Amino acid sequence: MDAAAAEQLQEQLLRDCLRKQLDEFHMLASIFCSPGELHVDDYSFVDNIGAYINGETGRLNAKLDYQLNLPLLEEQRVQIRIELPHLYPGLEIPCFVVRSACFPRDQERMITQRIEEYIEREVLDSSEPYVFQVVSWIQDNFVELTKFHEPLKVSEEGGSAKSASVIFERLWIYSHHLKSKTKRQTILKTAKDLDLTGFSRPGKPAIICVEGRQQDTQELWRTIRPMKWQKIQVKLAETELVEGGLEAIAGKRRFSGFREELLTEVDDENDEEVPMSMSLFMKFLDRHDCGYIRKEIFGFEQAENDL
């Protein structure tokens, strides 16, 4: 088979997978049709996939992802976030993230692991869509899934945890923009759950700084990176081996808590649409001894006038 024929087969496989994804999405929309049950951040991406399948565009803007908000707990909905790689079904598997305010991040990871094990064990024909099968299994087994978590145990050997070596990390993340309320809430909740400090600047551009244990900063990065972004990257990762455990890490932090910082000159309800004041941002960085990052993010070292 020559290269042209192989490329044509790959293109046909991609279009077939995307067509099955859209068919399944519309089926789910007809099943979970109550207000708020099925949520898509930006329907233009659904339209883009349809246009690509029909040959109306040669560019795919993003992967198809959506969220189901289901009443799996009393008086509280549970979020099931689903992200579909382009070659699902067939060659790639979907990503499921189940979130609720009633259980912590480590339990969310346990549930995700159980879902992956279920897919590997029970999905017999991976060439056909199976999101509905997995969602149905989550609904039927949710109580058992939430029991899978075991609380972290506090060491009874005095001082052993305090004296351990820990890698401290500060991540500087840059994105083209951050407007989605779902993304913003996910960033805030994840940072809080992981005991990370720093800030998130929504709007355009978007800048996120998180600091804490490396395993926790990397967990936040693994959580937000698969979400739908026009562009997102780690501009700088600062790491340091710290002796003395968690107490020693506190002395390395340059921020207190984690919050959104708009850094704008005016108050506006559509805060993510208001341009960031460069001078306010530079002053904010200097107050936290982080002025050096302006070179990594913007390419200059000295504060400049508002852009």
Side-chain angles (χ1 to χ4, degrees):
M1 182 183 299
D2 59 24
E7 184 176 350
Q8 185 176 3
L9 285 176
Q10 182 71 12
E11 181 68 20
Q12 185 59 48
L13 173 63
L14 175 60
R15 292 181 188 276
D16 288 345
C17 288
L18 293 174
R19 185 176 292 106
K20 290 178 179 180
Q21 288 182 24
L22 279 190
D23 289 344
E24 181 181 46
F25 171 77
H26 292 307
M27 179 197 71
L28 291 171
S30 67
I31 296 173
F32 301 103
C33 55
S34 298
E37 275 195 331
L38 190 150
H39 172 77
V40 178
D41 287 338
D42 190 341
Y43 266 95
S44 68
F45 291 113
V46 178
D47 296 335
N48 170 249
I49 292 175
Y52 183 86
I53 293 171
N54 296 327
E56 298 168 6
T57 180
R59 179 181 178 182
L60 283 172
N61 293 336
K63 300 174 184 178
L64 179 60
D65 68 86
Y66 43 90
Q67 178 177 302
L68 296 173
N69 303 296
L70 306 180
L72 302 182
L73 295 172
E74 292 184 6
E75 301 180 356
Q76 189 174 82
R77 288 180 177 264
V78 173
Q79 299 176 359
I80 304 177
R81 188 83 189 184
I82 302 148
E83 180 177 312
L84 306 180
H86 291 324
L87 293 179
Y88 158 83
L91 298 183
E92 296 179 292
I93 66 172
C95 175
F96 289 83
V97 178
V98 180
R99 291 198 173 98
S100 170
C102 72
F103 50 73
R105 292 290 301 170
D106 52 350
Q107 189 168 2
E108 292 176 9
R109 291 193 294 269
M110 288 287 191
I111 294 174
T112 297
Q113 181 180 338
R114 290 286 300 278
I115 293 172
E116 292 173 352
E117 292 171 353
Y118 171 80
I119 291 174
E120 183 178 354
R121 184 180 66 250
E122 299 294 339
V123 174
L124 303 179
D125 183 5
S126 61
S127 66
E128 293 299 324
Y130 51 87
V131 167
F132 180 67
Q133 176 184 341
V134 176
V135 170
S136 298
W137 178 79
I138 293 173
Q139 290 177 297
D140 294 340
N141 297 275
F142 189 75
V143 174
E144 181 62 26
L145 284 172
T146 56
K147 291 179 180 179
F148 193 70
H149 169 66
E150 294 183 1
L152 296 175
K153 296 181 180 179
V154 179
S155 174
E156 296 179 358
E157 299 179 9
S160 60
K162 294 182 179 180
S163 61
S165 297
V166 179
I167 298 178
F168 171 81
E169 183 170 65
R170 182 180 300 110
L171 289 183
W172 294 91
I173 302 169
Y174 175 91
S175 176
H176 180 269
H177 66 270
L178 171 57
K179 298 181 180 181
S180 163
K181 291 183 179 179
T182 299
K183 289 181 187 174
R184 291 169 64 177
Q185 291 170 358
T186 297
I187 292 168
L188 290 169
K189 181 180 184 301
T190 304
K192 179 180 179 181
D193 290 347
L194 295 173
D195 192 29
L196 298 175
T197 51
F199 70 94
S200 172
R201 196 281 157 179
K204 180 180 179 180
I207 300 166
I208 305 165
C209 173
V210 288
E211 53 183 13
R213 294 189 304 171
Q214 186 180 53
Q215 65 193 73
D216 296 326
T217 57
Q218 290 297 318
E219 175 64 21
L220 180 135
W221 176 237
R222 285 193 296 270
T223 299
I224 68 173
R225 185 180 182 182
M227 301 174 77
K228 183 170 53 198
W229 303 91
Q230 181 169 331
K231 176 183 179 181
I232 189 168
Q233 65 182 125
V234 174
K235 283 286 189 177
L236 181 65
E238 305 174 71
T239 60
E240 181 180 351
L241 182 64
V242 178
E243 300 291 341
L246 299 180
E247 291 184 359
I249 275 186
K252 299 294 181 180
R253 298 180 189 265
R254 294 182 179 176
F255 297 89
S256 175
F258 187 92
R259 61 183 62 85
E260 285 193 342
E261 298 286 350
L262 299 180
L263 302 166
T264 59
E265 298 282 4
V266 297
D267 294 328
D268 193 288
E269 291 183 358
N270 298 317
D271 46 49
E272 73 277 1
E273 299 291 345
V274 179
M276 178 175 67
S277 166
M278 190 63 71
S279 64
L280 287 180
F281 181 56
M282 295 307 168
K283 291 176 183 176
F284 173 76
L285 291 178
D286 289 338
R287 285 199 306 271
H288 293 88
D289 298 322
C290 293
Y292 57 88
I293 196 62
R294 59 175 70 113
K295 173 69 173 177
E296 299 290 339
I297 296 178
F298 299 110
F300 59 84
E301 297 184 358
Q302 301 298 322
E304 297 182 358
N305 295 330
D306 290 359
L307 298 182

